[in-house]
Amino acid sequence: MRGAANEQVGADDASGHGHGERRRSQRALRRLPFAVMIAVAVIDLLAGPTLGFLPLLTLGPTFASVSGSVRRTALVGVVALAICLPLAWYGQVLLTKQNNVTIATIIGVTAASMLASHLRLRRERELADVRAVAEAAQRVLLRPVPRRAGDLRIALSYTSAAAEARIGGDLYEVVTTPYGVRLLIGDVQGKGLAAVETAAWVLGAFREAAYDEPELAKIGDRLEASLARHLGGEQFVTAIVAEVGEGAMALVNFGHPAPLLIRSDGRAVAVEPPEESLPLGLGALGGDPPRPHRVAFGAGEQLLLFTDGVIEARDAAGTFYPLIDRARLLRSGDPQTALDTLRGDLITHVGGPLLDDAAMLLLRKHRPGEVSGKVSREVS
């Protein structure tokens, strides 16, 4: 399913070719022990019996333990002995004390490497279990968004900056309520499990308030009250809470990057709030809470909401990603396909893994007759 695939991404996906690189690295690591032992054998033959390079055969089982199984490591150790004995005979050192020490060294290093391989495999299994739990948590915390809601079509892209992560500090939600389609996008300060826990609080509060509160500003108040009970110090969450109405959209911006409104003629403009406001979690510092502001949102127009991982992404020269210029990639085609194209362009711009999580939510308002008025939770 394409929507689900967009949520399960990490640095391998961000690099565009990470899986291929990993496979090539694994193949190289599997061949490395044999290549090293062959090189040692050739050098020993060329150097003659005066210089003894045979102890370097222990590099074979040592390297094998990095990526191979216990059985494979033992096999490499046997191959090392099989190379050592004829070379020692050829160099006329087979029955010497020095060669006995070399054989004992190969056996000892092979045994130690087998133990290291066993411990590594056990850690990898534990990591796989933890990763499976994290993926299950993602499915509960960041649910698939509806592909259609009324006359809206919705697309999602979520890219984690962590190499093996499936979840991060960015959050999003889209719900259809008696008051209309309401949505949330946000970015938690910090990273790791603390950020995930904070994201869970925000999403839980939003999912309740979105159905209960008739006014958009009250949803923000509920989110602020929830974070005030949980966060400490100067932790915060930037966020946008929005509601799609008939011909317009209302937004409440809590210190979050302004979304892009893409007009039907292709022009992209930033939807800046009328006044700056503090992020969620900093309400105790004073100041008036942000007020909803409305923007026309008619048929054929699109709204792109995103986190700062998108606009703060840089290329090798330090140039920020020019999102407004690249918004032309969203003008036509299926919304999810268009958003996938934009994400691919972002990855190409960076030329490697992103340094911060990047979430994008694209809303497209269809003209009458283009989609049915039914609400669907379909995820392709």
Side-chain angles (χ1 to χ4, degrees):
M1 297 192 303
R2 185 171 58 201
N6 270 285
E7 296 174 29
Q8 189 173 345
V9 288
D12 286 345
D13 182 53
S15 66
H17 56 272
H19 292 299
E21 289 290 341
R22 177 176 296 178
R23 286 193 295 268
R24 285 191 290 271
S25 298
Q26 289 175 343
R27 286 196 296 268
L29 285 173
R30 290 177 66 85
R31 296 168 182 168
L32 181 60
F34 300 100
V36 169
M37 290 187 297
I38 291 172
V40 170
V42 171
I43 294 173
D44 187 77
L45 285 172
L46 295 176
T50 57
L51 295 176
F53 289 92
L54 294 183
L56 292 179
L57 289 171
T58 55
L59 292 175
T62 301
F63 285 131
S65 68
V66 174
S67 61
S69 64
V70 176
R71 186 175 180 179
R72 182 180 177 83
T73 303
L75 174 63
V76 173
V78 171
V79 172
L81 286 173
I83 294 174
C84 176
L85 293 176
L87 286 177
W89 176 82
Y90 178 79
Q92 299 179 354
V93 294
L94 180 60
L95 301 178
T96 63
K97 181 179 179 180
Q98 176 184 357
N99 190 58
N100 292 336
V101 172
T102 299
I103 293 174
T105 302
I106 293 175
I107 295 174
V109 171
T110 299
S113 299
M114 292 170 63
L115 176 61
S117 177
H118 169 73
L119 295 175
R120 174 184 57 80
L121 291 172
R122 187 172 68 178
R123 287 195 298 269
E124 289 178 354
R125 287 192 293 267
E126 292 173 352
L127 179 60
D129 292 340
V130 172
R131 190 175 300 140
V133 172
E135 291 174 356
Q138 161 130 359
R139 289 191 291 271
V140 174
L141 183 60
L142 297 178
R143 303 178 302 193
V145 301
R147 295 299 305 280
R148 293 183 180 182
D151 56 358
L152 286 177
R153 295 195 67 184
I154 304 168
L156 168 69
S157 170
Y158 185 90
T159 305
S160 174
E164 298 296 341
R166 296 293 183 266
I167 191 167
D170 289 1
L171 54 98
Y172 54 82
E173 182 62 288
V174 179
V175 294
T176 302
T177 73
Y179 311 105
V181 177
R182 288 175 166 178
L183 59 97
L184 166 73
I185 190 167
D187 188 357
V188 179
Q189 176 211 25
K191 299 183 183 298
L193 293 178
V196 174
E197 186 177 13
T198 301
W201 291 328
V202 175
L203 286 168
F206 173 78
R207 287 164 180 161
E208 290 187 4
Y211 289 96
D212 296 341
E213 299 292 347
E215 298 180 16
L216 203 60
K218 294 296 184 181
I219 298 178
D221 293 341
R222 292 271 293 269
L223 298 181
E224 180 67 42
S226 176
L227 288 179
R229 291 193 299 268
H230 295 100
L231 295 185
E234 297 183 356
Q235 293 176 298
F236 60 85
V237 179
T238 67
I240 292 177
V241 179
E243 178 182 294
V244 182
E246 189 68 31
M249 174 177 285
L251 303 100
V252 182
N253 192 320
F254 296 90
H256 198 78
L260 289 184
L261 179 62
I262 305 169
R263 299 294 186 185
S264 55
D265 60 4
R267 292 183 301 111
V269 294
V271 184
E272 299 286 353
E275 55 189 19
E276 293 186 0
S277 60
L278 293 174
L280 293 167
L282 301 181
L285 299 180
D288 296 329
R291 295 173 297 177
H293 62 284
R294 297 178 65 83
V295 58
F297 188 49
E301 296 185 329
Q302 302 182 90
L303 188 75
L304 177 66
L305 301 104
F306 51 89
T307 57
D308 58 10
V310 177
I311 55 175
E312 292 181 359
R314 306 190 190 198
D315 61 12
T319 304
F320 289 107
Y321 182 66
L323 181 59
I324 292 183
D325 295 338
R326 298 293 201 272
R328 65 180 184 275
L329 300 174
L330 302 173
R331 292 178 183 173
S332 60
D334 175 75
Q336 188 63 59
T337 302
L339 191 59
D340 289 344
T341 301
L342 181 66
R343 184 179 63 175
D345 185 72
L346 170 66
I347 294 168
T348 301
H349 175 84
V350 175
L354 301 181
L355 298 180
D356 193 8
D357 297 338
M360 293 184 285
L361 198 60
L362 179 65
L363 311 179
R364 181 178 293 177
K365 192 76 171 288
H366 275 257
R367 295 177 176 86
E370 288 186 318
V371 295
S372 68
K374 296 180 181 180
V375 175
S376 171
R377 291 293 297 188
E378 170 193 8
V379 178
S380 67

